[in-house]
Amino acid sequence: MNYFSSDFKLGILGGGQLGKMMLYATRKFDIYTSVLDPSAEAPCKIACNEFHQGDLMDFNTVYNFGKKVDVLTFEIEHVNVDALQKLEDEGVQVYPSPKTLQTIQNKGVQKLFYQKNNIPTAPFSIYMSLEELIHSVENDVISIPFVWKSTQFGYDGNGVKVIRTVEDLETLPNVECMAEKMIDFKNELAVIVARNVSGEMKTYPVVEMEFHPEANQVEYVICPARIPQEIEEKARKVALQVSEAFQHTGILAVEMFQTQNDEILVNEVAPRPHNSGHYSIEASYTDQFEQHVRAILNLPLGKTESKVAGIMVNLVGAEGHTGDVVYENIEKIMQMEGVTPHIYGKKQTRPFRKMGHVTIVNEDVAAARKVAAEVKQTINVISK
Amino acid sequence: MNYFSSDFKLGILGGGQLGKMMLYATRKFDIYTSVLDPSAEAPCKIACNEFHQGDLMDFNTVYNFGKKVDVLTFEIEHVNVDALQKLEDEGVQVYPSPKTLQTIQNKGVQKLFYQKNNIPTAPFSIYMSLEELIHSVENDVISIPFVWKSTQFGYDGNGVKVIRTVEDLETLPNVECMAEKMIDFKNELAVIVARNVSGEMKTYPVVEMEFHPEANQVEYVICPARIPQEIEEKARKVALQVSEAFQHTGILAVEMFQTQNDEILVNEVAPRPHNSGHYSIEASYTDQFEQHVRAILNLPLGKTESKVAGIMVNLVGAEGHTGDVVYENIEKIMQMEGVTPHIYGKKQTRPFRKMGHVTIVNEDVAAARKVAAEVKQTINVISK
């Protein structure tokens, strides 16, 4: 197949920042792209060859879009899977597979998949309704504390909550859900696995999420993770096992816990380029976006090793600011060593909206970590 | 000035591959771009915010385009300088300066500039016509062999020729020209200098052009150059001197000879991102395109050091092939370690047309050089 400066068409469902970064690779290779996104202001709107505005959850919109491309991929999980399935049945190459997406879209089904495939994951129970869950708690079938999760992506707002008291149960919506054992973990890790159509597989180095000591929010994604070699190997092995189990094609980001006993438990996966791999644009021989394109087009996978250490900091809208965005002090961070801001192109900021990210690279991970802290203290995403 | 996701407009004259690669940086920073190019098929056509088709040598076209942007730059020297000068006079920020472009557009004026600024360069004489040159040869004012150069870019075809015999003179066109002493050089080197509006300056490491032993054509651009530290320092110093002399804003690529006596002589310069800096996309902390954008917007310059060694191989159309392009064996080179092809997006190949380039990166320059030789032997730019 001739992909380069040819008539071949790659379709991408979703035109957000992940798609935007994927388009750097398609531009570099001059691969023709067609993007579908509901927003006329989508970050992908320029840099693709064709942009179509439409609802990603609408069967006909997705189906008709898919019929006009040679290979179809997505940069967001929230798409109409039935349409993908029909396209696949009719011979369109859809990567990753609609079956994987279907499994992942329901967190309960995802957990059952891990269980069935002997993939280590935290113990859990699934409930069809809030009443069932409450009944289980009242009858001591499960005990507090636990982590409550809505099984469906569709649920608006925060789908995860730590339940510490019986009163906490009252704040939950009445939806299909699961209760997961709270894991006392040393580290939250992630491994990106690439697997191409022929089954060639490669893992990226393990990354570590560093949390804010008080706010309990991920502040830094650090590559390489500051963990012993044996944990690195164990985590990569589990990630490969997950990719194999799904017979996955493309990038699969596997998020995991390293427990106090150094067990590796899979938390959840994303079947696409992922926030935990953004560091790869500056730090890796082959970034995750190019690797995804290579994988779904059955090209040879690129080298996944890092040239240098990389740390990623998300740029989210500051509290109390809504409106036209200003990246306060961005010039100051650009003066710091090895710092690259990525601005996703959303004109409007609002509290906690993901507006961009910053990568800090250095030969020495500790030096990068220092600069990353300065970056975080300096830049502010505010409104005019 | 707020450049990021704002109303600020950057204008770029020329929409070829250099512009295309510059747009990776503007997309990353979400800087609004408007591009002018004569071709409706220009590689820049997508990924800029606005594309205008028009003649870069036409005064009114360039002037009217320039009036609608906040900062104006170019990716090609062959533009209407009078229009740039008028725009600058009327307050539009034009970087690099029209004066620099004017000096560079005439190779004779460029040489006189070096002479005036005590920048080491090969001895030369300028002639207003072929007759004047022949007269000088006949009267032994200059002696054969020498390098003949047309002073004007405008001259169609090959503007450089080595004159080894009196008969060679007969093949020359009757244009303004110069005769330059033939330099017996050890190496052909290049240094990229970045200088921002405030005058902050940085040099990239020295790169080396490796020639094909028989064909006498540049085959590889190698970073770092395999030269002693003292030559490296001397070359960087001369490059800084050139950038200072021009009071240059943006990227300046300085091509030079390292003579048998280890003198450094400036050959010529390009006031823009340059083929000799393409390796920087994969190998450097800050690539030359992002650096150019930083420089002309007076942002702090990024780190110019390399993460790894980089080698660049041009992809040119094979002899005997004209028509729809096919990159034969591109999958094979993508399987090699640290190899990234860049496909410029020209649909039609013809003999020697620049269609793309390939970068090979590795921690070890010798290992990269071996892979580069394999790349060259493997890939072919042919027609269907």
Side-chain angles (χ1 to χ4, degrees):
Chain A
M1 188 72 214
N2 178 22
Y3 304 116
F4 308 87
S5 297
S6 76
D7 296 334
F8 170 85
K9 276 194 191 183
L10 173 63
I12 305 172
L13 297 171
Q17 60 261 23
L18 298 174
K20 180 187 173 192
M21 292 185 270
M22 207 184 293
L23 294 181
Y24 298 153
T26 58
R27 292 296 297 133
K28 187 164 70 179
F29 294 156
D30 196 39
I31 294 170
Y32 190 100
T33 50
S34 183
V35 171
L36 179 68
D37 192 88
S39 167
E41 306 277 291
C44 274
K45 192 160 183 190
I46 62 175
C48 59
N49 298 77
E50 279 177 39
F51 180 79
H52 299 270
Q53 199 178 344
D55 183 355
L56 298 169
M57 291 307 288
D58 181 65
F59 181 92
N60 286 326
T61 305
V62 172
Y63 176 77
N64 292 330
F65 176 82
K67 284 304 263 188
K68 292 186 201 113
V69 301
D70 298 299
V71 170
L72 184 61
T73 191
F74 47 84
E75 57 103 55
I76 186 168
E77 286 104 311
H78 209 187
V79 300
N80 190 302
V81 177
D82 293 338
L84 293 189
Q85 190 58 60
K86 187 167 162 70
L87 288 163
E88 192 180 61
D89 293 345
E90 292 177 4
V92 178
Q93 293 180 63
V94 183
Y95 299 121
S97 157
K99 279 170 204 72
T100 301
L101 201 49
Q102 202 158 29
T103 303
I104 284 166
Q105 278 186 345
N106 182 298
K107 286 190 186 181
V109 176
Q110 191 179 150
K111 287 289 275 193
L112 291 167
F113 179 85
Y114 299 143
Q115 203 171 47
K116 188 180 141 207
N117 287 279
N118 298 313
I119 290 161
T121 191
F124 65 100
S125 336
I126 297 172
Y127 303 95
M128 298 316 287
S129 65
L130 183 60
E131 283 78 12
E132 276 193 26
L133 169 64
I134 291 171
H135 187 260
S136 277
V137 175
E138 284 170 351
N139 290 278
D140 292 327
V141 181
I142 58 164
S143 55
I144 286 171
F146 62 82
V147 181
W148 171 88
K149 289 180 181 174
S150 159
T151 59
Q152 306 275 357
F153 279 104
Y155 170 61
D156 275 345
N158 199 341
V160 179
K161 192 157 188 181
V162 177
I163 303 300
R164 297 184 194 277
T165 66
V166 177
E167 288 71 43
D168 285 345
L169 290 168
E170 291 165 20
T171 64
L172 297 175
N174 187 15
V175 293
E176 187 185 302
C177 63
M178 57 188 224
E180 202 177 58
K181 190 184 165 184
M182 268 188 80
I183 300 300
D184 184 19
F185 57 83
K186 270 190 203 169
N187 282 305
E188 204 164 317
L189 306 172
V191 176
I192 286 175
V193 188
R195 188 171 175 281
N196 72 10
V197 180
S198 300
E200 184 192 359
M201 291 174 84
K202 283 187 182 181
T203 53
Y204 280 79
V206 181
V207 300
E208 167 196 352
M209 321 296 176
E210 187 182 323
F211 284 72
H212 187 281
E214 286 123 47
N216 203 35
Q217 275 186 326
V218 177
E219 282 202 300
Y220 308 102
V221 175
I222 302 175
C223 180
R226 297 160 298 182
I227 52 172
Q229 183 60 27
E230 65 196 78
I231 304 298
E232 170 90 22
E233 283 165 21
K234 201 191 247 185
R236 286 196 192 215
K237 214 175 136 188
V238 169
L240 283 171
Q241 197 190 338
V242 179
S243 177
E244 277 275 26
F246 281 115
Q247 288 288 297
H248 189 71
T249 299
I251 288 291
L252 186 75
V254 184
E255 297 184 71
M256 351 172 142
F257 299 117
Q258 175 193 357
T259 68
Q260 294 297 345
N261 304 325
D262 287 341
E263 270 185 295
I264 294 291
L265 301 178
V266 171
N267 181 22
E268 58 180 37
V269 302
R272 51 167 171 78
H274 186 251
N275 197 263
S276 65
H278 287 354
Y279 80 90
S280 65
I281 297 176
E282 284 80 16
S284 304
Y285 278 91
T286 313
D287 72 61
Q288 65 168 347
F289 301 98
E290 176 179 334
Q291 197 75 287
H292 185 73
V293 171
R294 286 180 179 234
I296 63 175
L297 300 185
N298 206 24
L299 291 164
L301 298 180
K303 190 170 166 175
T304 53
E305 280 82 359
S306 295
K307 299 168 190 167
V308 284
I311 298 189
M312 199 263 329
V313 174
N314 284 314
L315 285 182
V316 298
E319 284 188 84
H321 288 270
T322 299
D324 289 351
V325 66
V326 173
Y327 296 89
E328 191 184 45
N329 294 331
I330 189 167
E331 300 85 358
K332 287 188 185 156
I333 69 161
M334 288 175 81
Q335 206 154 7
M336 298 174 188
E337 173 136 344
V339 169
T340 304
H342 288 256
I343 305 299
Y344 296 155
K346 302 168 186 174
K347 305 294 175 219
Q348 303 283 315
T349 185
R350 52 175 189 260
F352 307 112
R353 188 175 193 197
K354 265 193 203 172
M355 301 296 289
H357 74 264
V358 180
T359 312
I360 301 96
V361 288
N362 199 293
E363 284 185 21
D364 175 40
V365 69
R369 179 61 185 77
K370 270 187 203 159
V371 175
E374 281 180 65
V375 165
K376 247 189 119 63
Q377 279 162 26
T378 305
I379 191 164
N380 284 310
V381 182
I382 58 172
S383 55
K384 262 189 210 163
Chain B
M1 188 71 214
N2 178 22
Y3 304 116
F4 308 87
S5 298
S6 76
D7 295 334
F8 171 86
K9 275 192 190 183
L10 173 64
I12 305 172
L13 296 171
Q17 59 261 22
L18 299 174
K20 180 187 172 193
M21 291 185 270
M22 207 185 293
L23 295 181
Y24 298 154
T26 58
R27 292 296 297 132
K28 188 165 67 181
F29 295 157
D30 196 39
I31 293 170
Y32 190 101
T33 50
S34 184
V35 171
L36 180 68
D37 193 88
S39 166
E41 306 276 292
C44 275
K45 191 159 183 189
I46 61 174
C48 59
N49 298 77
E50 280 176 38
F51 180 79
H52 300 269
Q53 198 178 346
D55 183 353
L56 297 170
M57 291 308 288
D58 181 64
F59 181 93
N60 287 326
T61 304
V62 172
Y63 176 77
N64 292 330
F65 176 82
K67 285 303 262 188
K68 292 187 201 111
V69 301
D70 298 298
V71 170
L72 185 61
T73 191
F74 46 84
E75 58 103 54
I76 186 168
E77 286 103 312
H78 209 186
V79 300
N80 191 301
V81 177
D82 294 337
L84 293 189
Q85 189 58 61
K86 187 167 162 69
L87 287 163
E88 191 180 61
D89 294 344
E90 292 177 4
V92 177
Q93 294 180 60
V94 182
Y95 298 121
S97 157
K99 279 170 203 71
T100 301
L101 201 50
Q102 202 157 30
T103 303
I104 285 166
Q105 278 187 345
N106 183 299
K107 287 191 186 181
V109 176
Q110 189 179 151
K111 288 289 275 190
L112 291 166
F113 178 85
Y114 298 143
Q115 203 170 49
K116 188 181 142 209
N117 287 279
N118 298 313
I119 290 161
T121 191
F124 64 100
S125 334
I126 296 172
Y127 303 96
M128 297 316 288
S129 65
L130 182 60
E131 285 78 8
E132 274 192 28
L133 170 64
I134 291 171
H135 187 260
S136 275
V137 175
E138 285 171 352
N139 291 277
D140 293 325
V141 181
I142 57 164
S143 54
I144 287 172
F146 61 82
V147 181
W148 171 90
K149 290 181 180 173
S150 159
T151 58
Q152 306 276 356
F153 278 104
Y155 169 61
D156 275 345
N158 199 341
V160 178
K161 192 157 188 181
V162 177
I163 304 300
R164 297 184 194 278
T165 66
V166 177
E167 289 71 43
D168 286 344
L169 289 168
E170 291 164 19
T171 64
L172 296 175
N174 186 15
V175 293
E176 188 185 302
C177 63
M178 58 187 224
E180 203 177 60
K181 190 183 166 187
M182 268 187 81
I183 300 300
D184 183 18
F185 57 85
K186 271 189 203 171
N187 282 305
E188 204 165 317
L189 305 173
V191 176
I192 285 175
V193 189
R195 188 171 175 282
N196 73 9
V197 181
S198 300
E200 184 192 0
M201 292 174 82
K202 284 187 182 181
T203 53
Y204 279 79
V206 181
V207 301
E208 167 196 351
M209 322 295 176
E210 187 181 323
F211 284 72
H212 187 282
E214 288 121 45
N216 202 36
Q217 274 185 329
V218 177
E219 282 202 298
Y220 307 101
V221 175
I222 301 174
C223 180
R226 296 158 300 181
I227 52 171
Q229 183 59 27
E230 65 195 78
I231 304 298
E232 169 89 24
E233 283 164 21
K234 202 191 246 184
R236 287 196 191 215
K237 214 174 135 186
V238 169
L240 282 171
Q241 198 191 337
V242 179
S243 177
E244 276 276 27
F246 280 115
Q247 289 285 297
H248 188 69
T249 299
I251 287 290
L252 187 75
V254 184
E255 297 186 71
M256 4 175 132
F257 299 117
Q258 175 193 358
T259 69
Q260 294 296 345
N261 305 324
D262 287 341
E263 269 186 295
I264 294 292
L265 300 178
V266 171
N267 181 22
E268 59 181 35
V269 302
R272 51 167 171 79
H274 186 250
N275 197 262
S276 64
H278 288 353
Y279 80 90
S280 65
I281 296 177
E282 284 81 15
S284 306
Y285 279 91
T286 313
D287 72 61
Q288 66 169 345
F289 301 98
E290 176 180 333
Q291 197 75 286
H292 185 72
V293 171
R294 286 179 179 235
I296 63 176
L297 301 185
N298 206 24
L299 291 164
L301 298 179
K303 190 171 167 176
T304 53
E305 281 82 359
S306 294
K307 298 168 191 168
V308 284
I311 299 189
M312 200 262 332
V313 174
N314 284 314
L315 286 181
V316 299
E319 284 188 84
H321 287 269
T322 300
D324 289 350
V325 67
V326 173
Y327 296 89
E328 191 184 45
N329 294 331
I330 189 167
E331 299 85 357
K332 287 189 185 157
I333 70 161
M334 289 175 81
Q335 206 154 8
M336 298 174 188
E337 174 136 343
V339 169
T340 305
H342 289 256
I343 304 301
Y344 296 156
K346 303 168 186 174
K347 304 294 175 219
Q348 302 285 313
T349 185
R350 51 175 188 261
F352 308 113
R353 187 174 194 198
K354 265 193 203 172
M355 301 296 288
H357 74 265
V358 180
T359 312
I360 301 95
V361 289
N362 199 293
E363 284 185 21
D364 175 42
V365 69
R369 177 63 184 75
K370 270 187 204 159
V371 175
E374 282 180 64
V375 166
K376 246 190 120 63
Q377 279 162 27
T378 306
I379 191 164
N380 284 309
V381 183
I382 60 173
S383 55
K384 264 189 207 164

